[in-house]
Amino acid sequence: MKMAPAIPSLGSDNHSGVHPKILEALLQANMGHSPSYGTDPWTDKLRGLCKSLFGPSTEAFIVFNGTAANVLCLHGLVESHQAVIVSDVAHVQMDECGAPEKYIGCKLLPLPSNHGKITADQIRDALIRRGDQHYSQVAAVSLTQPTEYGTLYSLKELQDIVQVAKAEGLKVHIDGARFIYAPPGLQCEFLDLTEELGVDAVSFGGTKNGLLFGELCLIFDREVAQSFKYRRKQAMQLPSKHRFVASQFLALLSGSLWRDIATEGHKKALYLREKLSALGPAVTITQPTEANAVFARFPKAWIGPLRDHMFFYVWDEKTFEVRLMVSFDTTYQQIDSFIEKARVLNAAQLP
Ligand SMILES: Cc1ncc(COP(=O)(O)O)c(C=O)c1O
């Protein structure tokens, strides 16, 4: 059966297909038989690679999806009577259908965010009623890097948060569904954002960054790492044919592919932002563009025709702020044709 040709989309970086180099790695891994459940040579190599990229204490575990990565990372860090500080727009808070609350039984404590970020001072102020048996005890902070609004916590902002967390005995988790954008954006290495920074767990995204599917839980706390494999199995997140996820991550992380995808994605997002802004006062850019997403507001009447041309999400159904997201395979021509459509709508002076 022949499927209709895919229409390019600015909906999400998981609307795109698989990066050709990752598909090639999958084909290479598709040879003969190999032991299952993470005992294959690909997974072994990936574990070593993760130690060199993220720090020698890193234990890397493959899971199927990002929600599970977040839940399993947090499951190692908190108990059911405890709470996790998050931003009010965090994926764990807004888009995981209460999965952390259901599987861990813990409470999420959302703090108001600015461009998707929370601060060290807010975290310090939220640490009330310590030791009070009537109150869920804050035991961890979960940050998204880059944030849901395509912004980056700076190294200083992260260091301040980790410092408060450590002083107060809190664990630190990072939801890194798009973590590949952080090192080029902050001009640092992965290591500066993981073991060197002092975080306890990172959900490291693959699916949004060119993989067919697969995410990593990077665990830096030895005790948490020891029990992780049991909790992953109980959560039904242990893939049997591990080599097909490990080989994809090896293709992404062994050389420069991850950096190339992130650098290009950011460049294209900046291009889209610039072209949109140039349309004039009908367009307002609402967030800094530090990864692969552009957030904007434009006349409501544009949304239907523009979405028919190239799909995107209305992020805030009250303000009609929209999210335009670039994927590894988004082209400048596609962006130009989207802008041309917006230019025509702008010229028509729709309300
Ligand atoms: C920031 C962030 N974290 C986690 C996820 C969860 O990924 P999944 O849909 O694979 O569960 C997403 C997916 O959109 C995301 O954007």
Side-chain angles (χ1 to χ4, degrees), residues 62-346:
I62 286 170
V63 296
F64 288 111
N65 61 47
T67 300
N70 284 340
V71 171
L72 281 170
C73 281
L74 288 172
H75 199 189
L77 305 183
V78 299
E79 294 186 52
S80 62
H81 64 277
Q82 295 178 320
V84 182
I85 288 180
V86 297
S87 93
D88 56 356
V89 297
H91 197 272
V92 279
Q93 163 72 8
M94 297 302 288
D95 291 293
E96 295 186 356
C97 196
E101 291 93 328
K102 174 177 162 62
Y103 277 94
I104 309 169
C106 67
K107 186 178 175 70
L108 297 184
L109 203 63
L111 301 183
S113 57
N114 187 21
H115 299 307
K117 299 193 274 186
I118 54 174
T119 66
D121 284 343
Q122 282 179 287
I123 292 166
R124 199 183 287 107
D125 288 348
L127 298 177
I128 56 169
R129 298 173 64 179
R130 307 296 276 161
D132 178 348
Q133 65 186 333
H134 302 287
Y135 190 72
S136 293
Q137 297 292 297
V138 174
V141 179
S142 176
L143 307 171
T144 309
Q145 173 81 326
T147 70
E148 289 73 8
Y149 279 113
T151 56
L152 284 169
Y153 285 92
S154 70
L155 270 173
K156 171 81 170 69
E157 287 168 329
L158 290 170
Q159 284 157 355
D160 288 350
I161 289 173
V162 171
Q163 197 181 18
V164 169
K166 296 297 158 195
E168 299 291 343
L170 313 180
K171 303 284 189 185
V172 180
H173 164 249
I174 294 185
D175 174 352
R178 302 178 177 86
F179 207 54
I180 61 164
Y181 288 86
L186 298 173
Q187 291 175 0
C188 67
E189 300 301 325
F190 278 131
L191 188 60
D192 300 308
L193 300 164
T194 51
E195 190 173 309
E196 289 278 305
L197 181 64
V199 302
D200 299 284
V202 175
S203 308
F204 187 96
T207 317
K208 314 259 185 309
N209 309 308
L211 267 62
L212 174 60
F213 72 91
E215 314 285 305
L216 293 175
C217 292
L218 306 174
I219 308 295
F220 301 89
D221 180 314
R222 184 200 287 255
E223 235 177 84
V224 175
Q226 271 170 359
S227 56
F228 192 94
K229 63 179 180 180
Y230 307 110
R231 269 185 270 110
R232 175 177 59 177
K233 181 67 186 184
Q234 284 190 326
M236 298 160 281
Q237 284 285 325
L238 174 63
S240 59
K241 293 186 178 175
H242 243 66
R243 66 174 144 150
F244 292 107
V245 186
S247 58
Q248 294 182 75
F249 272 112
L250 285 172
L252 182 71
L253 295 174
S254 300
S256 66
L257 184 58
W258 68 269
R259 196 182 283 278
D260 297 343
I261 291 174
T263 310
E264 269 302 299
H266 183 221
K267 241 166 68 183
K268 286 175 187 160
L270 286 177
Y271 179 80
L272 170 58
R273 174 193 175 102
E274 219 174 87
K275 295 276 168 182
L276 258 185
S277 307
L279 292 174
V283 176
T284 308
I285 303 292
T286 51
Q287 310 286 341
T289 304
E290 293 169 340
N292 60 332
V294 177
F295 285 80
R297 269 198 304 273
F298 38 65
K300 212 171 129 190
W302 295 15
I303 292 175
L306 271 181
R307 282 223 288 205
D308 288 344
H309 186 67
M310 254 177 123
F311 179 78
F312 56 86
Y313 285 104
V314 173
W315 207 247
D316 185 324
E317 57 193 40
K318 291 208 175 78
T319 62
F320 291 97
E321 182 182 29
V322 303
R323 184 188 79 173
L324 309 169
M325 189 165 253
V326 164
S327 286
F328 73 84
D329 61 347
T330 305
T331 64
Y332 286 102
Q333 288 88 331
Q334 288 166 358
I335 296 173
D336 285 342
S337 86
F338 182 82
I339 294 295
E340 177 53 21
K341 185 87 189 165
R343 195 192 60 73
V344 171
L345 293 163
N346 196 27

